[in-house]
Amino acid sequence: VEADDTDEVRDLVEPLHPADIADLIELTPGDQRRALIAAIGDQIDGEVISELNDWVREELIDSLSPHQVASFAAELDTDDAVAIIEDMEEADQRAVLRALDPDDRAAIEEALSYPEESAGRLMQRELIAVPEHWTVGDVLDYLRGSEELQTDFWEIFVVDPGHRPVGTCHLSWILRTPRVVSIGDVMKREQTLIPVDLDQEEVALRFQKYALISAAVVDSSGRLVGMITVDDVVHIISEEAGEDILRLSGAGEGDINEPLPSTIRTRMTWLLINLGTAILAATVIAFFSGTIAKLVALSALMTIVSGMGGNAATQTMAVTVRALATNQLTTSNTWRMILREWWISIANGIALGFLMALGCQLYYHDTALSLILFAAMIINSINAGLSGVLIPIGLDRLRIDPAITSTVFVTTMTDCMGFFALLGLATLFNVH
Amino acid sequence: VEADDTDEVRDLVEPLHPADIADLIELTPGDQRRALIAAIGDQIDGEVISELNDWVREELIDSLSPHQVASFAAELDTDDAVAIIEDMEEADQRAVLRALDPDDRAAIEEALSYPEESAGRLMQRELIAVPEHWTVGDVLDYLRGSEELQTDFWEIFVVDPGHRPVGTCHLSWILRTPRVVSIGDVMKREQTLIPVDLDQEEVALRFQKYALISAAVVDSSGRLVGMITVDDVVHIISEEAGEDILRLSGAGEGDINEPLPSTIRTRMTWLLINLGTAILAATVIAFFSGTIAKLVALSALMTIVSGMGGNAATQTMAVTVRALATNQLTTSNTWRMILREWWISIANGIALGFLMALGCQLYYHDTALSLILFAAMIINSINAGLSGVLIPIGLDRLRIDPAITSTVFVTTMTDCMGFFALLGLATLFNVH
């Protein structure tokens, strides 16, 4: 496709949706990407840029002048413009802001003043707010009369004279109501207000829970300052849920467009931490090398005990991290959850331990070894179940992201305890 | 809270949103749940039931008569009613369907005729479709005049005489346009149509990609048969992304409200499969027991080699599974991804292998052992990187869900190869 024929490329790209153009740019290998961008330069607008993946976008933005970036940003809603500008370096950011017209600049600067990943960064300032005493007819005339309004919205917000939201009104309700009815009689008073400094993960959970399409964002004094729409939240829901899987595995952002050195650095850091825990577990083994020398079979069996513990702990950990991420674990049911895992781990420990012991007895004909294996499997299963649930919950209480840190602690626990239980018991009972 | 004072409980629950009532019921432990439900019985409506978690809902539905279920289902949109009914046993399902009035019954029966987890199950039949020749005024009069319309919609669909969608029109566009303008001039012709048999995961990806609020569902002849709204898709996005983490760990649905025996069964099945792979890996060790007897230090070092391989593979696997789930891996960039992982694994293998070999040399003063450890670490790192990317991709090509099955294969590869590389090299070079 990319063999120099600029016109043909342009014709192919012409009818595509911005999201598809963005995908096309991402899929093109790095060296051909520049040529593609040069060829379709004038079809790349703000929409396309805001759909691009972070790494690819940064590359593209770096190649543009501040004025070009500013003109793209001006086309977009505040939230999308902020998303483009917030990742830039500070000097470039200032240059772009200077190139914007004063209104847009003020809006974007205000958004940048809110913490990263907060509702304030996510919201757009373009919204429709009307006073409570208007009638449906007034609203219709206002909407038809104001040329400079943004064109896409799903709800209008009704505010009091202090600009505090008092209700919200789906457009479908307005459409179905005669002009003379007061908007105060059409709106719904119960609404989900989003504080401007709320974390985006929490915003996403509220949208999900209450099936919202858009929601009013209010500042600390309760004034309406912006609106968040579901299409921005959908990205967050998917990212946050997908992030946990990558964090648990220590793969960082796991972005396949991230430059190689940066990916290697992230992954290696994680592996180095895990190397520490692996060496710790190996130390436990080295401590018992006398016992292993007497009975080499232990070196094979110990990997099964620690491996099964690791698997059981991973299950429990995944369930706990997921429950924490979706706000399903509250103080009232934490104990219930721990007790659940306690019983699950005992049941699994006895069943798998028995199976292993039976196999060991049939293979090695060593009753003492089989009994010790049975006991070690049960001990490590309980250890795995409790570590898998208590470590993420404990980290969460300490306000540390359990998805990032749990795995290291949990695998250390199951590896060390797996080796220690089997080799320790074997030494204690002098099995050989 | 739950100490018999029915009236007080009712007063507390009264002002809550259906989603909050559902949460409250879920959080109440099993034995008290019955009492709570009895106390607030008349505040439980279709909305509350459709917000309940599968397991809790099943328990509740089982305690209701088919007529009660039918009356709840009748209150709801088709998609929510189907979600309640589809999990029931067939005899109960028939009883509920019989109790519904003919229109609702036909709608639900038709939805049930589509495959599970398809667009057909997800869509609601209640939607607004108007002919292209109508004016904005006609649409407004139609909406104001029809009492029995559902009240919540975000877009209206414009159809041709064959009831095929030709365009879609956001409500905000209608509100901002004078009555005399033809709807055909307001609508957008490009639209994302959803085939009725499309998998729900694919539906969710399209909503995400094109930032849709609602979309028309069409049958195989292109006729408009229903509409999917973003609030239903939001649940799926979050579930699908969250499911992968649970599947990779073999924790099944990971639902904390699932009955204990069923959870134990799911987890045990997974652990049994992994027991098989652990035994396979242990067999590799047993095969080399002569070598270990000569040099017990190998038994500690081999767990580090296999453990580090496991960690590296988990990173790669998480990235690959996530990329597959979000449709980021296409034929054009699969090779790029594999090559990426190849270089990452070589870099990590050399760095970590060198570190390990250095430590080994300082501790054991055994150059041959250190060199073998270095080689084994590199071999297993490459093995881990390639398994982590090739196994999920291969399973995906075979149309097997990589999130469920990858872990078993990948850990088998890294464990066996980890042990084999170190012990095999030690045997070959007769290290002691």
Side-chain angles (χ1 to χ4, degrees):
Chain A
V1 189
E2 213 47 79
D4 268 350
D5 193 345
T6 309
D7 284 342
E8 202 175 324
V9 174
R10 292 169 52 93
D11 289 347
L12 283 172
V13 172
E14 182 81 60
L16 292 180
H17 187 280
D20 290 315
I21 301 182
D23 272 3
L24 179 69
I25 297 177
E26 281 172 27
L27 286 177
T28 310
D31 39 337
Q32 289 173 37
R33 205 176 280 155
R34 235 170 283 264
L36 175 68
I37 290 171
I40 60 169
D42 55 339
Q43 287 170 13
I44 297 178
D45 57 11
E47 295 281 338
V48 174
I49 292 183
S50 75
E51 294 283 346
L52 277 176
N53 170 295
D54 288 355
W55 295 103
V56 182
R57 182 164 69 206
E58 221 168 90
E59 196 189 306
L60 176 60
I61 297 255
D62 280 348
S63 71
L64 296 174
S65 76
H67 278 278
Q68 285 173 300
V69 178
S71 75
F72 286 139
E75 292 169 23
L76 296 169
D77 287 335
T78 352
D79 57 330
D80 294 323
V82 167
I84 291 184
I85 294 177
E86 67 182 355
D87 293 334
M88 300 178 70
E89 277 168 46
E90 222 168 296
D92 296 336
Q93 231 178 50
R94 270 199 299 272
V96 172
L97 286 172
R98 264 197 307 275
L100 279 168
D101 73 56
D103 278 358
D104 288 337
R105 189 195 311 160
I108 289 175
E109 277 176 348
E110 196 200 314
L112 288 174
S113 74
Y114 298 115
E116 267 187 67
E117 312 218 320
S118 72
R121 294 272 177 121
L122 214 56
M123 72 184 186
Q124 57 189 75
R125 294 161 57 99
E126 301 83 3
L127 56 82
I128 313 290
V130 299
E132 196 173 349
H133 62 79
W134 279 18
T135 64
V136 168
D138 292 335
V139 173
L140 286 175
D141 294 340
Y142 168 67
L143 292 176
R144 288 191 190 142
S146 331
E147 269 308 312
E148 82 284 11
L149 287 180
Q150 63 151 10
T151 40
D152 271 357
F153 50 93
W154 314 101
E155 285 177 292
I156 64 171
F157 301 101
V158 183
V159 291
D160 69 9
H163 214 68
R164 279 182 290 270
V166 291
T168 139
C169 197
H170 291 185
L171 298 187
S172 59
W173 304 342
I174 298 178
L175 281 170
R176 306 198 49 219
T177 310
R179 289 180 66 96
V180 292
V181 177
S182 153
I183 200 80
D185 295 332
V186 186
M187 72 182 190
K188 191 178 60 169
R189 285 188 185 272
E190 301 85 50
Q191 48 174 343
T192 310
L193 298 177
I194 309 278
V196 74
D197 53 359
L198 195 69
D199 183 75
Q200 64 173 18
E201 198 166 350
E202 203 57 44
V203 174
L205 286 172
R206 290 201 190 171
F207 265 77
Q208 239 178 298
K209 183 164 177 187
Y210 300 115
L212 303 176
I213 299 295
S214 60
V217 181
V218 291
D219 65 15
S220 54
S221 62
R223 285 166 47 90
L224 179 66
V225 291
M227 142 176 115
I228 296 179
T229 52
V230 69
D231 52 314
D232 298 314
V233 173
V234 159
H235 285 277
I236 293 167
I237 294 174
S238 141
E239 272 170 31
E240 295 279 348
E243 261 176 14
D244 282 349
I245 199 175
L246 298 167
R247 286 184 181 162
L248 270 180
S249 74
E253 291 174 47
D255 193 317
I256 60 174
N257 287 298
E258 191 181 3
L260 205 53
S262 152
T263 306
I264 292 178
R265 213 173 312 124
T266 315
R267 297 223 200 150
M268 187 121 40
T269 311
W270 177 255
L271 292 177
L272 278 174
I273 297 170
N274 278 277
L275 184 60
T277 79
I279 290 175
L280 193 68
T283 314
V284 175
I285 300 174
F287 182 78
F288 291 107
S289 53
T291 309
I292 296 176
K294 278 196 247 169
L295 186 62
V296 177
L298 287 170
S299 69
L301 295 175
M302 71 185 183
T303 63
I304 300 181
V305 177
S306 76
M308 293 314 290
N311 289 327
T314 306
Q315 294 181 329
T316 310
M317 195 165 58
V319 173
T320 312
V321 166
R322 196 67 200 128
L324 286 169
T326 52
N327 275 3
Q328 281 187 71
L329 261 188
T330 60
T331 35
S332 71
N333 65 351
T334 300
W335 273 108
R336 212 175 0 135
M337 170 104 178
I338 295 172
L339 210 68
R340 257 179 79 86
E341 294 302 334
W342 165 258
W343 289 118
I344 293 172
S345 64
I346 287 183
N348 282 336
I350 292 178
L352 297 171
F354 180 75
L355 215 65
M356 279 301 302
L358 193 70
C360 177
Q361 181 63 18
L362 291 174
Y363 191 79
Y364 290 110
H365 304 290
D366 185 332
T367 314
L369 181 63
S370 303
L371 285 176
I372 281 171
L373 184 61
F374 183 52
M377 286 288 284
I378 295 176
I379 291 170
N380 206 29
S381 178
I382 295 175
N383 167 54
L386 292 183
S387 309
V389 65
L390 291 176
I391 289 177
I393 290 179
L395 290 167
D396 187 63
R397 289 278 156 86
L398 298 172
R399 301 187 176 282
I400 301 170
D401 184 348
I404 296 183
T405 36
S406 292
T407 313
V408 179
F409 292 111
V410 172
T411 48
T412 308
M413 287 296 288
T414 54
D415 276 359
C416 291
M417 183 53 91
F419 298 141
F420 183 77
L422 185 70
L423 301 177
L425 286 172
T427 309
L428 195 67
F429 292 102
N430 195 21
V431 178
H432 53 264
Chain B
V1 190
E2 212 46 79
D4 267 351
D5 194 346
T6 309
D7 284 342
E8 203 175 323
V9 173
R10 292 169 53 95
D11 288 348
L12 284 170
V13 171
E14 182 80 59
L16 294 179
H17 187 282
D20 289 315
I21 301 182
D23 272 3
L24 180 69
I25 296 176
E26 281 173 25
L27 287 177
T28 310
D31 37 339
Q32 289 172 36
R33 203 175 281 154
R34 232 170 283 267
L36 175 68
I37 290 170
I40 59 168
D42 55 339
Q43 287 169 11
I44 298 177
D45 57 10
E47 295 281 340
V48 174
I49 293 183
S50 77
E51 294 283 348
L52 278 175
N53 168 296
D54 288 356
W55 295 103
V56 181
R57 184 165 67 205
E58 220 168 273
E59 195 189 307
L60 176 60
I61 297 256
D62 280 349
S63 71
L64 298 174
S65 74
H67 279 276
Q68 285 173 301
V69 178
S71 73
F72 287 138
E75 292 169 24
L76 297 168
D77 287 336
T78 351
D79 56 331
D80 295 323
V82 167
I84 292 184
I85 295 176
E86 68 184 354
D87 292 334
M88 301 177 71
E89 279 170 43
E90 221 168 295
D92 296 336
Q93 233 178 47
R94 271 200 299 273
V96 172
L97 286 171
R98 263 198 307 275
L100 282 167
D101 73 55
D103 277 0
D104 289 338
R105 190 194 312 160
I108 290 175
E109 277 176 347
E110 195 198 316
L112 288 173
S113 73
Y114 299 115
E116 268 187 68
E117 313 217 319
S118 72
R121 294 273 178 124
L122 216 55
M123 72 184 185
Q124 57 189 76
R125 293 162 59 100
E126 300 82 3
L127 57 81
I128 313 290
V130 300
E132 196 171 351
H133 62 79
W134 278 18
T135 64
V136 169
D138 292 336
V139 174
L140 285 174
D141 294 340
Y142 167 67
L143 291 176
R144 289 191 189 141
S146 329
E147 270 307 313
E148 80 286 8
L149 286 181
Q150 64 149 10
T151 41
D152 273 357
F153 50 93
W154 314 101
E155 285 176 291
I156 64 171
F157 301 100
V158 183
V159 290
D160 69 8
H163 213 69
R164 280 180 291 268
V166 292
T168 138
C169 197
H170 292 186
L171 297 188
S172 58
W173 304 342
I174 297 178
L175 280 171
R176 306 198 49 219
T177 311
R179 291 182 63 98
V180 293
V181 177
S182 153
I183 200 77
D185 294 334
V186 186
M187 72 181 190
K188 191 179 61 172
R189 285 188 186 273
E190 303 85 51
Q191 48 175 342
T192 310
L193 297 177
I194 309 275
V196 74
D197 53 359
L198 195 68
D199 183 75
Q200 62 172 20
E201 198 163 350
E202 204 55 46
V203 174
L205 287 171
R206 292 201 189 170
F207 265 78
Q208 240 178 298
K209 181 163 177 189
Y210 300 115
L212 303 176
I213 299 292
S214 59
V217 180
V218 291
D219 65 15
S220 53
S221 64
R223 286 167 45 90
L224 178 65
V225 291
M227 145 176 112
I228 296 179
T229 53
V230 70
D231 52 314
D232 298 314
V233 174
V234 159
H235 285 275
I236 293 166
I237 293 173
S238 143
E239 273 168 32
E240 295 280 348
E243 261 175 15
D244 282 349
I245 196 176
L246 298 168
R247 286 184 182 161
L248 271 180
S249 74
E253 292 174 46
D255 193 317
I256 59 174
N257 287 298
E258 191 181 4
L260 205 53
S262 150
T263 306
I264 292 178
R265 212 174 312 125
T266 314
R267 299 225 199 147
M268 186 122 39
T269 310
W270 177 256
L271 292 176
L272 277 173
I273 296 169
N274 277 278
L275 184 60
T277 77
I279 291 174
L280 194 68
T283 313
V284 175
I285 300 174
F287 182 77
F288 291 107
S289 53
T291 310
I292 296 177
K294 277 195 247 169
L295 186 62
V296 177
L298 287 170
S299 69
L301 296 174
M302 70 184 184
T303 64
I304 301 181
V305 178
S306 76
M308 294 313 291
N311 288 327
T314 306
Q315 294 181 329
T316 310
M317 194 166 57
V319 174
T320 312
V321 166
R322 196 68 200 127
L324 286 169
T326 52
N327 275 3
Q328 283 187 70
L329 261 188
T330 59
T331 35
S332 70
N333 64 350
T334 300
W335 273 109
R336 215 181 349 142
M337 169 102 180
I338 295 171
L339 211 66
R340 255 179 80 85
E341 293 301 333
W342 165 259
W343 289 117
I344 293 172
S345 63
I346 287 183
N348 282 335
I350 291 177
L352 297 172
F354 179 75
L355 216 65
M356 279 299 304
L358 194 69
C360 176
Q361 182 63 17
L362 291 175
Y363 190 81
Y364 290 111
H365 306 288
D366 184 334
T367 315
L369 182 63
S370 303
L371 286 176
I372 282 170
L373 185 60
F374 184 52
M377 285 288 284
I378 295 176
I379 292 171
N380 206 29
S381 180
I382 295 175
N383 167 53
L386 293 184
S387 308
V389 65
L390 291 177
I391 290 177
I393 291 178
L395 290 168
D396 187 62
R397 289 278 157 85
L398 298 172
R399 300 185 178 284
I400 301 171
D401 183 348
I404 296 184
T405 34
S406 291
T407 313
V408 179
F409 292 111
V410 172
T411 49
T412 308
M413 288 296 288
T414 56
D415 276 359
C416 291
M417 183 53 91
F419 298 141
F420 182 79
L422 184 71
L423 300 177
L425 286 172
T427 309
L428 196 64
F429 292 101
N430 194 20
V431 180
H432 51 268

